[in-house]
């Protein structure tokens, strides 16, 4: 085991970001990290969720996944966030959780930790890059150390070539092998640098 305690924090309406988070968790564990796979609370009204079969089914499938807490944020020395883009920024459910973190930020408890992010959108130019940059801007306010994948492995090119973080065009299909390879590389790179930062 390494000295890395990684919180993989996701929001997923229909399952894409949940699958991305699970793929990352598997790779991070293989790299030696202690991993907590966590979802952010749903903020949409229950009637809205239940009114869409696919949304309701995803909520039921992941009912046993624990919701992230401030204690998880303190426990971790590395973070990987994954959420869909909405109008060029991350889904409001993730932002709502982030907006509760002021007390931890004010105490410096989010600083000096390795952090990375992934996202999805319905189409290739649906705001993925601005979503990742927006999340990284928040992490810079925390004083976290951003670990983007960059162009550090050929799998980045095979999966669409995004150096900011893995992005998936979500159209209801399972993750491609190229996307999974990119996610695994990003997770392993995050664990590697988180270990160096943690000393």
């Amino acid at each position: 085991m390494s000295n890395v305690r990684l919180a993989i924090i996701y929001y997923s309406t229909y399952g894409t970001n949940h699958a991305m988070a699970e793929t990352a968790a598997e790779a991070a564990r293989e790299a030696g990290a202690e991993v907590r796979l966590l979802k952010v609370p749903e903020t949409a009204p229950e009637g809205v969720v239940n009114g869409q079969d696919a949304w309701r089914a995803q909520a039921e499938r992941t009912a046993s996944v624990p919701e992230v807490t401030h204690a998880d944020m303190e426990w971790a020395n590395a973070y990987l966030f994954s959420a869909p883009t909405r109008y060029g920024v991350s889904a409001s459910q993730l932002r709502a959780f982030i907006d509760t973190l002021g007390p931890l930020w004010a105490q410096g408890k989010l600083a000096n930790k390795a952090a990375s992010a992934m996202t999805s959108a319905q189409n290739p130019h649906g705001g993925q890059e601005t979503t990742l940059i927006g999340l990284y801007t928040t992490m810079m306010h925390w004083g976290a150390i951003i670990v983007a994948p960059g162009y550090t492995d050929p799998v980045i090119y095979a999966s669409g070539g995004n150096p900011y973080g893995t992005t998936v065009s979500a159209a209801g299909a399972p993750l491609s092998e190229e996307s999974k390879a990119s996610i695994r590389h990003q997770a392993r790179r995050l664990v590697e640098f988180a270990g160096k930062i943690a000393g």
Side-chain angles (χ1 to χ4, degrees), residues 15-33:
T16 299
N17 284 273
H18 177 223
M20 294 170 74
E22 285 189 317
T23 301
E26 180 182 7
R29 289 185 182 111
E30 289 172 357

Side-chain angles (χ1 to χ4, degrees), residues 2-3 5 8 12-13 32 36 56 59-60 77 108 117 132-133 153 159 166-167 173 179 184 188-190 193-194 199:
S2 71
N3 56 352
R5 300 182 305 277
I8 299 179
S12 193
T13 309
R36 291 183 184 177
R56 183 180 67 249
E60 291 171 352
N77 58 15
L132 294 177
I133 291 168
D153 191 280
S159 66
T166 304
T167 58
S179 292
R184 291 185 188 110
R188 288 192 298 265
R189 180 171 163 82
L190 178 60
F193 281 90

Side-chain angles (χ1 to χ4, degrees), residues 115-127:
S116 199
M118 309 182 293
T119 191
S120 67
Q122 187 174 357
N123 55 295
H125 299 288

Side-chain angles (χ1 to χ4, degrees), residues 84-155:
T85 181
R86 296 286 187 267
Y87 306 109
V89 296
S90 60
S92 62
Q93 289 86 346
L94 178 58
R95 292 304 321 181
F97 172 70
I98 288 172
D99 285 347
T100 72
L101 297 176
L104 295 183
W105 165 79
Q107 298 174 68
K109 292 184 176 179
L110 305 176
N112 304 321
K113 299 182 180 187
S116 199
M118 309 182 293
T119 191
S120 67
Q122 187 174 357
N123 55 295
H125 299 288
Q128 293 103 318
E129 290 183 354
T130 56
T131 295
L132 294 177
I133 291 168
L135 286 169
Y136 291 154
T137 300
T138 296
M139 294 172 192
M140 285 187 267
H141 279 252
W142 294 348
I145 311 300
I146 296 168
V147 182
Y151 293 112
T152 56
D153 191 280
V155 300

Side-chain angles (χ1 to χ4, degrees), residues 32 47 106 196:
K196 292 177 179 180

